[in-house]
Amino acid sequence: KREKELAGNEYHQIFFFNTQVTESSAKSCMDQLAIWDRVDPGCEITIVFCSPGGEVISGLALFDFISSIRNKGHKVTTKALGYAASMAGILLQSGDKRIMSKESWLLIHEASFGAIGSFGEVEDRLKWIEKVQDRILTIFAERSKLSKAQIKKRWHRKDWWIDSDEALKLGFVDEVE
């Protein structure tokens, strides 16, 4: 039993994020990262994404949390195994070192939201969504070889699926393994 514990992912600071990005899944990841931060300050942490993406606000909260533990001295490696789609693709960008497995896929697309209410309420929500979309473009542009305009052109009104080799070439990841 002790051998199994010592061989486990938690013992080696590896978190498998293999679900949708929701408030609950982001909180679960943040809780585990906080434990590793307190128990082993400065340790290396790996977050492995096999996720269809999900909620933008919960995902951006996790992105900020990962940035904060990096700023505290942890080296964070993010990895796509299978796929890092949508919000998971954004989270892949949060690592010091970003890796994709050879047969993995990255999905990048425009922010998507629903809006219900009066014309004015929908119009206000659209202005906010434009701000969120600009933040997402900034994250991808800062971590890649592409400008915000180049990314926007490639994802405009469609899903942009990127294989591991193209992701490496464009600078969305640092390594393919």
Side-chain angles (χ1 to χ4, degrees):
K1 182 173 165 125
R2 178 75 175 143
E3 288 175 344
K4 190 173 183 177
E5 177 186 341
L6 294 175
N9 291 325
E10 285 185 30
Y11 189 79
H12 293 278
Q13 291 87 18
I14 300 171
F15 187 90
F16 276 87
F17 199 104
N18 57 357
T19 187
Q20 285 190 309
V21 179
T22 63
E23 183 178 344
S24 175
S25 65
K27 180 184 180 313
S28 175
C29 186
M30 287 187 270
D31 288 347
Q32 185 59 62
L33 297 177
I35 290 169
W36 289 331
D37 175 44
R38 291 182 200 116
V39 171
D40 193 358
C43 68
E44 292 188 17
I45 295 171
T46 300
I47 306 169
V48 180
F49 293 98
C50 184
S51 171
E55 298 172 10
V56 174
I57 300 308
S58 297
L60 290 175
L62 178 54
F63 187 96
D64 284 344
F65 192 86
I66 293 168
S67 296
S68 74
I69 65 169
R70 286 177 57 204
N71 290 337
K72 291 171 77 175
H74 293 277
K75 181 181 178 209
V76 178
T77 298
T78 51
K79 182 176 180 180
L81 182 65
Y83 68 145
S86 191
M87 189 64 228
I90 297 166
L91 288 167
L92 180 65
Q93 303 307 305
S94 67
D96 293 293
K97 183 176 181 183
R98 302 160 301 153
I99 301 172
M100 284 180 73
S101 63
K102 179 69 177 153
E103 302 307 328
S104 291
W105 294 87
L106 173 63
L107 169 62
I108 298 175
H109 60 77
E110 296 174 302
S112 58
F113 291 83
I116 299 172
S118 69
F119 180 80
E121 290 168 335
V122 171
E123 198 171 49
D124 290 344
R125 183 145 174 102
L126 179 59
K127 287 176 187 172
W128 175 68
I129 293 166
E130 288 171 346
K131 290 179 182 181
V132 171
Q133 175 131 316
D134 188 62
R135 289 281 178 99
I136 293 168
L137 283 165
T138 298
I139 290 168
F140 281 120
E142 286 178 349
R143 297 300 314 263
S144 73
K145 297 175 183 175
L146 301 176
S147 69
K148 288 165 72 170
Q150 290 171 315
I151 295 167
K152 195 171 186 177
K153 181 181 176 184
R154 291 182 185 196
W155 80 5
H156 184 67
R157 296 183 184 231
K158 65 178 182 177
D159 287 345
W160 179 22
W161 285 98
I162 306 166
D163 67 30
S164 59
D165 294 327
E166 186 179 9
L168 181 63
K169 180 181 165 194
L170 296 173
F172 291 119
V173 294
D174 305 303
E175 185 179 312
V176 174
E177 63 177 30

